[in-house]
Structure formats: structure tokens, C-alpha cells
Amino acid sequence: PALIAHGSPMQQGTLLAGIRAGTVSACLGYSEPEAGSDLASLRTRAVADGADFIINGQKLWTTDGHRATHMILAARTDPQAATPHQGISLFILPMDTPGITVQPMMAMYGHPFCSIFLDDVRLPASALLGPLHGGWAVLATALAAERIIMGAFATQLRDQLRRLVAAARRDGLAGDAVARDRLGGLAAEVEAARLLSARAIALSSETRPPLVESAMAKVFASELAQRLTETAIDLFGLAATLEDDAADVPADGQVDQLLRKSIMMVVGGGTNEIQRSVIAQRGLDLPR
């Protein structure tokens, strides 16, 4: 979405067809060791050098950094800007550019994420995504899209709930009032999560990024994932945390994976505390 909204004709012509064909993939170079939810405090620097930029810094928690062909990179281009938000630019960085070191690390849910080190990486000015020093507005579009994707996790939650219901029937819990109440409540919440996600997706075609709606979808779906796994453990005990190769494990052994992933979901794309501030200030017009 950021490339469609802010990319140059050359960038769009080169990359969009490859994204559709699956030959081009992207990772996000936003967070840093000292800049997570407070992204405006990022320290990676891009210094102009003739018609190029020289980039130095580090990115952290980069999903797919070990296999993506490109990175959407946020870097500080004007350290003297009046506010931290005003001095940031975005770049499209080919991951085979000299000076990039990728260090994969194993995350709790069994898949790698990466630390990325940028040492005197040279990029042409044509790699800018959007205007120079105007990267924050581009980030708003990109982050809204990321949170919509995380909100759309509701579709996986619906599949997981179906597995839990099947396991409850198998284990004779279908007639238990407490189990029915817990699972019925989750069914209603899953539908609410799907509707929040669908609304954010529908609004993404408008001129403004759906910051509030995507934050709502992301917060609700990520915390619902935790409630769903808590319910599974309450109903089935510690057997719910076994993996898929265990005998008679409920829900095809997917509860353990969802539990691990849900810890990331409430933090990824901006912590839920930050998202609640976005909803309060931009959506409800509440004071800071």
C-alpha cells in the first residue's frame, strides 16, 4: 500500500509486478534497539553524499529479513528538524546491497526474525519512497496496512475456535454449561474481530489511512488470541499446550503455537498501549 500510494513511477513499474508474481518480497526496517513503539526516536542515519545517501544503523525484530528481496527502511535524514517526526525519510533498499549484515534469531513461535546491521550502505536518491524528510506520512500508510494484516488474524482465530469446538465435542464438553458459555462468547468475539478487520480493509481504499480503524482491529484481534488460548487451557488443561505430534492433543496441537504468537501480536506493529492512545486521541478526540 505504501508503494502504491507514495512510490515513484519507476519504483511502481519495477516492483509491483514482482510483488504480484511473488518474485519480490519486503521486510520492514522500522524498529531499532532504542526505538520500538516510539518510532520517532530512531537513530539510523542517511546522510546525503552527492546524488546518493550513505546509511548507517541497526534494525531489530525484522520479520523475513533473512529472505526478503527488499526492505522498506526508515532513516533519519534531518537531525536538526524541529520535531523528530519531521526529519525521517523512507527508502526502498535492495537486500543484496553491499554493507548489509543479517543476523537471524529464533522467535518464541518457532520462526526467525532478524537484526539488520547497515554499515556505509550506499543508496541512490531514486530509492526514496515519498518525499525527502516526509517519511512519517508514508509510515502512517504503511503502519495502517500492517495493523490491518494483524487484525485479519481473526480469520485464523475462527479456524482455531472451530478446532476447539470439535475437541470439546470429542471430549464430552459440549453439554457443559461453562464450556458452552466460554466457547459461545469467543464465537461472538471472533465475528466482531472479523467485522473490525473488514471495515479497516474497506476504508483503506480512501485517501486517508485508516489509522484508528486499523488500530481497533489489531488491538481486538491480538488480545482475543490470548483469551482464546486461555480458554483452551482452562477447558482442556495443560494438554492444550502440547504440540501437534502428541496423542489426543486438542485443536490439532495449534494452541501452543497460537499462545506463543499472541505474545508477539500485542507488541508487533506498535504495542496495544500505543494503539489505545491512537484510538483515544484520533478517534475519540480525547486529550493526551
Side-chain angles (χ1 to χ4, degrees):
L3 182 60
I4 291 171
H6 301 282
S8 68
M10 183 185 72
Q11 291 169 340
Q12 293 177 349
T14 302
L15 298 174
L16 288 177
I19 292 172
R20 183 172 61 183
T23 58
V24 173
S25 60
C27 59
L28 303 179
Y30 300 160
S31 296
E32 299 181 2
E34 303 297 330
S37 292
D38 182 20
L39 195 55
S41 64
L42 63 85
R43 298 180 180 180
T44 295
R45 293 282 299 274
V47 179
D49 182 40
D52 297 335
F53 287 89
I54 306 297
I55 301 172
N56 285 279
Q58 180 185 355
K59 295 297 175 179
L60 188 62
W61 305 314
T62 305
T63 303
D64 282 342
H66 61 298
R67 60 184 181 183
T69 61
H70 292 74
M71 173 189 284
I72 298 179
L73 171 71
R76 187 164 303 285
T77 48
D78 183 6
Q80 307 302 321
T83 68
H85 301 77
Q86 295 176 357
I88 294 173
S89 300
L90 258 63
F91 298 85
I92 298 177
L93 171 64
M95 290 298 289
D96 58 359
T97 304
I100 299 175
T101 302
V102 180
Q103 288 188 354
M105 297 173 286
M106 190 58 66
M108 286 183 63
Y109 62 103
H111 300 280
F113 68 103
C114 302
S115 284
I116 310 290
F117 298 89
L118 307 161
D119 297 300
D120 290 332
V121 174
R122 181 176 290 272
L123 272 181
S126 60
L128 275 166
L129 178 60
L132 180 64
H133 311 321
W136 195 257
V138 184
L139 271 173
T141 303
L143 288 171
E146 181 181 8
R147 291 164 191 157
I148 287 172
I149 292 170
M150 299 181 80
F153 188 60
T155 58
Q156 295 184 40
L157 298 182
R158 182 173 62 173
D159 290 340
Q160 183 74 331
L161 179 61
R162 288 171 174 167
R163 294 188 183 99
L164 288 179
V165 170
R169 289 172 175 156
R170 180 198 71 187
D171 292 359
L173 295 175
D176 183 90
V178 172
R180 290 174 67 89
D181 178 69
R182 295 286 295 274
L183 293 172
L186 288 172
E189 290 190 282
V190 165
E191 290 306 307
R194 291 178 63 240
L195 290 172
L196 286 171
S197 176
R199 175 167 171 76
I201 292 169
L203 292 174
S204 65
S205 62
E206 298 184 0
T207 55
R208 67 169 182 86
L211 296 177
V212 174
E213 294 81 6
S214 63
M216 292 168 60
K218 186 263 183 184
V219 168
F220 194 82
S222 62
E223 294 180 1
L224 176 56
Q226 295 186 324
R227 292 193 293 274
L228 196 153
T229 54
E230 289 167 0
T231 296
I233 294 171
D234 288 344
L235 294 181
F236 299 100
L238 291 179
T241 63
L242 298 176
E243 296 187 356
D244 56 6
D245 57 351
D248 297 326
V249 61
D252 300 327
Q254 297 299 307
V255 173
D256 172 73
Q257 188 70 203
L258 179 60
L259 177 61
R260 294 169 183 269
K261 189 177 291 186
S262 69
I263 298 170
M264 178 274 294
M265 292 289 292
V266 299
V267 177
T271 65
N272 282 5
E273 290 80 3
I274 294 295
Q275 301 315 302
R276 284 185 164 88
S277 293
V278 171
I279 295 166
Q281 294 166 18
R282 293 177 176 265
L284 302 175
D285 200 26
L286 295 176
R288 290 182 177 273

